[in-house]
Amino acid sequence: MSKPSLGIIGSGRLGTAIARQASAAGYVVRLANSRGPESLSLIVKVLLPGVIATTVDEAILQSDSIVLALPLNQYKSLPVQLLKGKIVIDAMNYWPPTEGEIPEFMNQEVTSSEYIEQYLPGARIVKTLNHVAYNELEQHSLPEASPGRRAIALAGNDADAKAKVELLINDMGFDAVDLGVLSNGRRFQPDTSLFNTRLTAQEIRST
Ligand SMILES: NC(=O)c1ccc[n+]([C@@H]2O[C@H](COP(=O)([O-])OP(=O)(O)OC[C@H]3O[C@@H](n4cnc5c(N)ncnc54)[C@H](OP(=O)(O)O)[C@@H]3O)[C@@H](O)[C@H]2O)c1
C-alpha cells in the first residue's frame, strides 16, 4: 500500500530532518518555506533527494498531512482556509529564548497547540515531534520492535488523525505514545521531563 503524502511548512533544522526521515520511509514529501521553492533547490538536490520543494499553499493542497515546522512567531502567515479539514501536526514550541516572547502564548492556561487549534478552525491538530531534537530524529531512529526503541508522544482531540500520525511516527523509526486530548500536550512542552529526553514508550507512560 502506498504511503500518504506529507507537506512540511518550515525547511530549517526540524523541517529538513522530518523530510529526510519521512522520505526514506517512502512518503511523498513536499517542503516549503516563506521564500519559495527556488530557495530550496540546492538543499533538496544535495541533502534531500526525492523531496519536492514547493510553495506553502501547494504543500498543503497536495498533501494528506501537514507538519508545522516553522517558528511559532510566524503562525499568522499560515493559510487558515487551506488547512481546514487537514491533519496538521504541530511540532512548534513556544520557546522565548530563541524566538522571543509572544504575548498570546504567555498565558499558561492554554497550551501553544490549543491556541493554534483555535487559530486554525477545522484543522485536525495533533501535537507531536516537538519534544525531540532534530538531529535525534535520525540518530535515534530504529526499526519497529527494536529493544529500547525511543518513543515520541502525541496528543490531540481527533482519534482518526492521531492514528494516522502514529503510523508516521512508527515509519520514522519511533514508538508512538498517545497521551490523550490536545490539552495533555502540556506534558511534553519545553521545560517538562518529557522534553528532549530519550525515553521508551513504557517510560513515557509511567512519567
Ligand atoms: N530544532 C529542533 O531540534 C526542534 C525540535 C522540535 C521542535 N522544534 C520547533 O520547530 C520549529 C522550527 O524550529 P527549527 O529549529 O527548525 O527552526 P529553523 O531552523 O530556524 O527553521 C525555521 C524554518 O521555517 C521557515 N520559515 C520561517 N518563517 C516561515 C513562514 N512564515 N512560512 C513558512 N516557513 C517559514 C524558515 O525558512 P525561511 O525563513 O526561508 O522561510 C526555516 O526554513 C520551532 O517552533 C521549534 O520550537 C525544533
Side-chain angles (χ1 to χ4, degrees), residues 154-193:
L154 68 151
N157 299 326
D158 183 319
D160 177 67
K162 283 195 291 189
K164 291 182 169 122
V165 175
E166 284 186 20
L167 292 176
L168 170 68
I169 292 170
N170 185 52
D171 286 339
M172 288 174 63
F174 297 83
D175 287 343
V177 179
D178 182 359
L179 291 182
V181 294
L182 191 62
S183 57
N184 289 347
R186 185 181 299 284
R187 289 182 57 190
F188 51 96
Q189 291 197 138
D191 295 325
T192 63
S193 57

Side-chain angles (χ1 to χ4, degrees), residues 80 83-88 116-117 120-126 158:
V80 177
L83 288 165
K84 277 195 173 145
K86 292 281 183 182
I87 296 174
V88 175
I116 292 297
E117 185 177 60
L120 299 174
R124 305 164 69 194
I125 304 286
V126 179
D158 183 319

